[in-house]
Amino acid sequence: MALEGIKQKMLALNVKAEEAETKNEELTAKVKTLEQENLAKEQEITSLSHRNQLLEAEVEKLEGHVKEAKVGMNDSAQAATQNESLQRRLQLLEDEAEESDKTLRDTNEKLRQTDIKAGHYERKVQALEESRDQWETKYEEMSKKYAEANKALEDFRREIEGL
């Protein structure tokens, strides 16, 4: 019986050994599968890390473009503001120029009217000077005639007194 007990124990140990070997093979296969999955995951992680680095570089590049666009927008806004300011100044200058032109036209018209009036007054002055000259001539003639008449009257009075 002891032999049969040992046989049974041996058989049980063989079954357990076979079960352990089967389990060992299963676990070895599972470890191999897990190692392959792990390797695939590591490769995927490496690939994703590289892709992440590329995307981060792209993000930095795009952020740079965004900053440039913002600067461009600011420059554009400043240019627009400056343009509006210059447009207002131009409009003011144009209005001023129109007002100056109107004032110049009015002044030229007044100058023309003044020239016409001056010509008219010059003719009047000339006519008055001629009239004055005529009156002076008449006055001189009349003075001479008066002096002659006075002399004749004086001569006549002397003659009458002498008679």
Side-chain angles (χ1 to χ4, degrees):
M1 285 213 220
L3 194 57
E4 197 151 303
I6 293 182
K7 271 188 177 182
Q8 278 185 357
K9 278 189 182 182
M10 286 267 294
L11 276 176
L13 282 176
N14 272 343
V15 170
K16 277 187 181 181
E18 283 179 12
E19 285 177 0
E21 192 174 315
T22 304
K23 189 141 187 157
N24 185 25
E25 287 175 1
E26 287 175 6
L27 288 175
T28 302
K30 195 170 187 178
V31 165
K32 205 176 211 185
T33 303
L34 289 174
E35 283 177 347
Q36 286 177 349
E37 286 177 5
N38 189 27
L39 183 62
K41 297 280 183 186
E42 283 178 3
Q43 286 177 348
E44 186 177 350
I45 287 172
T46 303
S47 173
L48 288 174
S49 292
H50 179 69
R51 186 163 184 223
N52 189 31
Q53 288 174 351
L54 292 175
L55 289 173
E56 284 177 355
E58 184 68 20
V59 164
E60 286 179 19
K61 182 179 174 184
L62 291 174
E63 284 175 348
H65 289 310
V66 167
K67 284 181 184 177
E68 289 174 8
K70 284 181 180 178
V71 167
M73 284 178 39
N74 287 340
D75 290 348
S76 177
Q78 287 175 348
T81 303
Q82 187 177 13
N83 187 28
E84 289 173 14
S85 174
L86 291 174
Q87 287 292 340
R88 284 191 300 272
R89 179 150 170 78
L90 178 62
Q91 185 62 43
L92 288 173
L93 290 174
E94 286 176 351
D95 292 345
E96 230 177 84
E98 285 177 16
E99 187 64 30
S100 294
D101 284 347
K102 183 180 179 225
T103 303
L104 181 61
R105 283 191 303 273
D106 291 346
T107 303
N108 283 337
E109 180 60 26
K110 288 178 183 176
L111 179 60
R112 189 181 69 76
Q113 292 295 330
T114 303
D115 283 345
I116 291 170
K117 286 180 182 179
H120 175 71
Y121 287 128
E122 283 177 8
R123 286 188 300 278
K124 267 191 170 184
V125 165
Q126 188 177 13
L128 288 171
E129 284 176 347
E130 286 175 9
S131 177
R132 181 201 65 199
D133 290 344
Q134 288 173 357
W135 279 105
E136 283 179 354
T137 304
K138 280 183 183 180
Y139 175 74
E140 289 173 4
E141 287 174 7
M142 294 304 275
S143 288
K144 283 180 185 177
K145 284 182 184 179
Y146 177 72
E148 287 174 7
N150 259 349
K151 188 177 177 188
L153 180 63
E154 197 57 41
D155 289 343
F156 181 69
R157 200 183 292 161
R158 280 189 219 144
E159 270 184 40
I160 292 184
E161 284 177 12
L163 283 175

